[in-house]
């Protein structure tokens, strides 16, 4: 029987500090939550890389709609991925009325393939040619520091979203994830316990 290929990794999650014995229960819970979220982030990126480019484009549609862009899902999906302009993968309305548009570039890069300034420069050039003022460049990998520095003072407003930020946005807006357990913690009601004028 042929052995299964090793799972593709997308880069290590930032290590969670060891919980000291002197930490409070609340601090231990926060540390455990950070560890679980980091593992979920890695799993999300691994699954995205295992899927097709079309899946990734649809994922960006779902995320942008969940964040409030594009109006209805139908309208957003109809626009994203249907632009034939070079360097732009799609267009989505910034608001429900379509008063402004955001141009989108989505690159499903492996962890070792970092988005550099030339990649961003090509996207910016396309925006300038289209007369566009806003763009979002999304990648499953990371962006180099020169790429991030380059977009800081550009006339078109460019937002770079790397793999970590993408996964965090997916978790925050419930895209590709769902809650499976809720734990409610109780604490003392000081207002109730400090009332000395209670009549029994």
């Amino acid at each position: 029987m042929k052995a299964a290929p090793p799972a593709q990794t997308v880069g290590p999650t930032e290590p969670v500090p060891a919980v000291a014995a002197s930490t409070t229960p609340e601090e231990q819970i926060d540390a455990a939550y950070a560890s679980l979220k980091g593992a979920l982030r890695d799993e999300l990126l691994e699954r995205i890389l295992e899927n097709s480019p079309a899946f990734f484009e649809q994922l960006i549609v779902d995320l942008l709609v969940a964040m409030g862009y594009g109006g209805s899902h139908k309208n957003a999906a109809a626009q994203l991925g249907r632009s034939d302009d070079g360097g732009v993968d799609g267009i989505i309305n910034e608001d429900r009325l379509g008063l402004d548009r955001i141009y989108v570039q989505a690159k499903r890069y492996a962890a070792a393939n970092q988005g550099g300034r030339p990649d961003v420069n090509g996207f910016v050039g396309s925006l300038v040619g289209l007369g566009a003022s806003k763009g979002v460049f999304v990648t499953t990998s990371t962006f180099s520091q020169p790429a991030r520095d380059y977009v800081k003072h550009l006339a078109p407003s460019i937002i770079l979203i790397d793999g970590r930020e993408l996964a965090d946005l997916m978790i925050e807006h419930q895209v590709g994830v769902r809650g499976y357990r809720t734990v409610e913690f109780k604490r003392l009601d000081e207002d109730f316990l400090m009332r000395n004028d209670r009549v029994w």
Side-chain angles (χ1 to χ4, degrees):
M1 183 175 177
K2 190 175 180 180
Q8 185 176 13
T9 59
V10 294
T13 299
E14 291 183 2
V16 178
V19 179
S22 60
T23 58
T24 66
E26 287 83 1
E27 290 170 336
Q28 294 174 27
I29 291 169
D30 289 342
Y33 174 79
S35 178
L36 289 170
K37 184 178 180 181
L40 177 58
R41 184 189 300 121
D42 288 346
E43 288 182 68
L44 277 172
L45 292 174
E46 287 175 9
R47 293 296 294 273
I48 290 170
L49 289 172
E50 290 171 0
N51 277 284
S52 67
F55 172 87
F56 186 45
E57 288 185 1
Q58 187 61 49
L59 164 63
I60 301 305
V61 171
D62 294 339
L63 178 58
L64 291 173
V65 171
M67 293 174 67
Y69 297 102
S72 70
H73 189 278
K74 179 180 178 181
N75 292 338
Q79 292 194 50
L80 193 65
R82 293 196 177 184
S83 173
D84 295 324
D85 298 300
V88 174
D89 290 331
I91 308 167
I92 191 167
N93 289 334
E94 184 176 15
D95 53 74
R96 294 179 181 273
L97 298 178
L99 295 175
D100 203 354
R101 289 182 167 186
I102 298 173
Y103 290 74
V104 180
Q105 176 78 285
K107 293 297 183 185
R108 199 171 53 101
Y109 289 153
N113 191 1
Q114 188 178 61
R117 175 167 173 169
D119 300 302
V120 179
N121 189 57
F123 180 49
V124 172
S126 298
L127 296 185
V128 172
L130 293 166
S133 61
K134 297 177 183 178
V136 177
F137 195 134
V138 186
T139 181
T140 51
S141 181
T142 58
F143 290 101
S144 67
Q145 192 58 48
R148 291 191 176 277
D149 292 339
Y150 173 59
V151 302
K152 287 181 179 178
H153 307 292
L154 291 175
S157 178
I158 309 297
I159 301 298
L160 302 181
I161 300 177
D162 63 19
R164 180 185 178 89
E165 293 167 308
L166 172 62
D168 283 341
L169 287 171
M170 290 176 66
I171 294 169
E172 178 183 350
H173 295 280
Q174 299 284 320
V175 175
V177 301
R178 60 182 176 182
Y180 73 97
R181 184 177 181 182
T182 302
V183 180
E184 183 180 29
F185 296 94
K186 307 289 186 180
R187 65 172 61 206
L188 292 177
D189 184 343
E190 296 292 348
D191 292 335
F192 179 88
L193 295 173
M194 292 298 293
R195 290 177 61 183
N196 297 319
D197 59 343
R198 300 181 65 87
V199 178
W200 302 96

